[in-house]
Amino acid sequence: MRQTDFWYRLEQVFGATYAQSVAADQNITQLDGLTIREALARGVATVTVWRAVCAAYPDRVPAKLR
């Protein structure tokens, strides 16, 4: 998954402004407690980060974006 696709999906789920907040401020258990931005900066594959987002927010991510 390209980063542009990742950010598009994240913004579709949370809205443009809140997506940035989630990416910077929310520690995600499935990413060993890293934030989205930290995980991406450490080279974690975007598809892995996206799957972690889907697992962390199952009620927010619609099936068509999974």
Side-chain angles (χ1 to χ4, degrees):
M1 172 187 295
R2 295 178 305 183
Q3 280 205 18
T4 54
D5 295 330
F6 173 85
W7 290 109
Y8 171 80
R9 289 177 185 208
L10 197 68
E11 289 180 5
Q12 290 300 302
V13 172
F14 294 104
T17 302
Y18 189 53
Q20 296 304 314
S21 177
V22 169
D25 300 330
Q26 299 295 315
N27 296 74
I28 298 180
T29 303
Q30 294 83 349
L31 295 173
D32 295 327
L34 298 173
T35 66
I36 291 169
R37 288 200 178 277
E38 290 170 335
L40 293 173
R42 290 186 185 187
V44 178
T46 53
V47 69
T48 301
V49 176
W50 181 249
R51 288 180 183 149
V53 170
C54 292
Y57 301 97
D59 296 335
R60 297 236 16 188
V61 181
K64 68 179 183 175
L65 293 178
R66 289 181 184 263

